[in-house]
Amino acid sequence: MRTALRASISTAVLAGALLAPIAGTAYAATTPQAAAATVPARYAGTPVLIDTGVVAVLRNAAEGPEVWIRAASDSWKPGDDYMARVLATLDVKHLKASVNGLELELVGKDSARPSLSVVKGGTTKSYPLPQAPTAPADCVSQTKQVGLGAGLQADLTMSPKGPKVVMHDADPADTWTRTLTRTDPKGSEGYFSRINNPSGAKPVFEWKTQGGKNVPSGFATFPALPKGCTPEYQVTEETPAPKPEPSTAKPVTATNVSTQTTGQTTVVPQGSVAAGAEIASEDTDNSITVAAGAGLLAVFAALGATVLRRRRSHS
């Protein structure tokens, strides 16, 4: 028994020794240093190391000047992955922040070349943001941010190319994005979203966070084009679906139901019309119109007579 147990332990130790290098290699292949993650356009920018373990991602695109302050490894160098935890964000609405003893400020937000100012220990360094794109981006509207629920956001813009929606996770560390445009206005089947009237003068973004037929949609209008800018496409309004025409038929009631026949004669059982029931005279087409009340009473009277005869025959 002991010999067999020792043999099993020896085999397990030997297998672990053989597999250890393979496991270590697999782990190394998944580290950020080995393979940089693909950065979506919404978060892409110029990364610069502003302090040990702190990277500033400089952006100046359609959303305006932005600086994403992200955590990094102590050995970070240009070319390494910079999609790590966000420490702070600077933009036109949030110009200052303090991170790990650094005083940060977005300077010249309305200028052609804004910059990031970093103050540490009385020393100031400046990092210019990328040059803002020229036309037609000059005709890109300000970004309208819309909360979609379930931790999702949407950035709505309008340009000469038409409306554009960039949906993304509210957590910048999550790289999921989905873009809708004038020429590609519908989202995926799993998450309902679309641009209504994409080529019209007033497009509207519609979405359902949870999906399903019974969940109400959310709607958001797009910002207007900057003054002096015009669309590059022909503005065409969507034709609304035709509404069903209202029915002209009168509802069937006990007061307007009539029996009409053409070329035929409606026979009413004798003695089965109640007092007061009106029977119209025969018209030129040999048609006889019987009021609904009289007809119904005639039927019940006939049935009553039949039942009565049967009872009498059995008595």
Side-chain angles (χ1 to χ4, degrees):
M1 178 66 71
R2 291 183 179 179
T3 303
L5 179 61
R6 289 175 181 174
S8 300
I9 295 175
S10 300
T11 302
V13 172
L14 178 59
L18 292 174
L19 293 175
I22 300 176
T25 304
Y27 174 79
T30 59
T31 59
Q33 300 294 335
T38 301
V39 182
R42 177 63 182 87
Y43 303 111
T46 303
V48 294
L49 187 67
I50 60 175
D51 197 24
T52 303
V54 182
V55 170
V57 181
L58 311 175
R59 288 177 43 83
N60 196 3
E63 296 78 16
E66 292 179 339
V67 179
W68 297 78
I69 309 299
R70 296 180 179 272
S73 66
D74 294 344
S75 59
W76 188 92
K77 60 184 181 301
D80 290 346
D81 177 30
Y82 55 84
M83 286 301 298
R85 181 168 57 94
V86 175
L87 304 177
T89 302
L90 303 179
D91 54 30
V92 293
K93 294 182 179 180
H94 308 87
L95 299 177
K96 296 183 179 182
S98 298
V99 175
N100 296 348
L102 304 175
E103 297 299 324
L104 311 173
E105 182 177 3
L106 179 60
V107 180
K109 64 180 181 66
D110 296 323
S111 66
R113 195 71 185 271
S115 62
L116 170 66
S117 173
V118 181
V119 179
K120 179 181 180 182
T123 302
T124 303
K125 292 184 179 181
S126 182
Y127 301 87
L129 271 64
Q131 182 77 34
T134 57
D138 291 339
C139 282
V140 176
S141 69
Q142 292 292 325
T143 301
K144 180 178 181 180
Q145 289 191 335
V146 179
L148 307 181
L152 298 178
Q153 291 182 349
D155 297 334
L156 278 61
T157 55
M158 179 66 76
S159 74
K161 296 183 180 297
K164 180 180 179 181
V165 179
V166 178
M167 296 182 292
H168 58 91
D169 198 285
D171 181 5
D174 193 318
T175 59
W176 177 87
T177 61
R178 177 71 171 91
T179 301
L180 309 181
T181 62
R182 181 182 66 86
T183 57
D184 185 16
K186 295 184 179 181
S188 63
E189 294 295 332
Y191 179 82
F192 176 81
S193 57
R194 67 184 180 192
I195 301 176
N196 294 327
N197 199 24
S199 298
K202 294 182 179 181
V204 175
F205 175 52
E206 178 184 2
W207 75 92
K208 287 185 181 181
T209 304
Q210 302 299 335
K213 295 182 179 180
N214 297 326
V215 177
S217 293
F219 298 92
T221 58
F222 285 81
L225 272 174
K227 187 176 296 185
C229 299
T230 57
E232 298 177 354
Y233 53 91
Q234 183 179 0
V235 177
T236 306
E237 304 295 336
E238 284 185 348
T239 303
K243 295 182 179 179
E245 293 294 333
S247 176
T248 57
K250 294 182 179 180
V252 178
T253 64
T255 58
N256 68 3
V257 174
S258 62
T259 305
Q260 294 182 350
T261 58
T262 303
Q264 296 179 354
T265 301
T266 302
V267 179
V268 180
Q270 295 182 357
S272 61
V273 178
E278 298 178 358
I279 302 179
S281 60
E282 183 174 354
D283 58 15
T284 55
D285 290 332
N286 243 357
S287 298
I288 298 178
T289 303
V290 180
L296 293 174
L297 289 174
V299 172
F300 285 121
L303 291 175
T306 302
V307 173
L308 183 59
R309 286 195 300 269
R310 288 182 179 178
R311 286 184 179 179
R312 289 177 177 175
S313 63
H314 289 281
S315 59

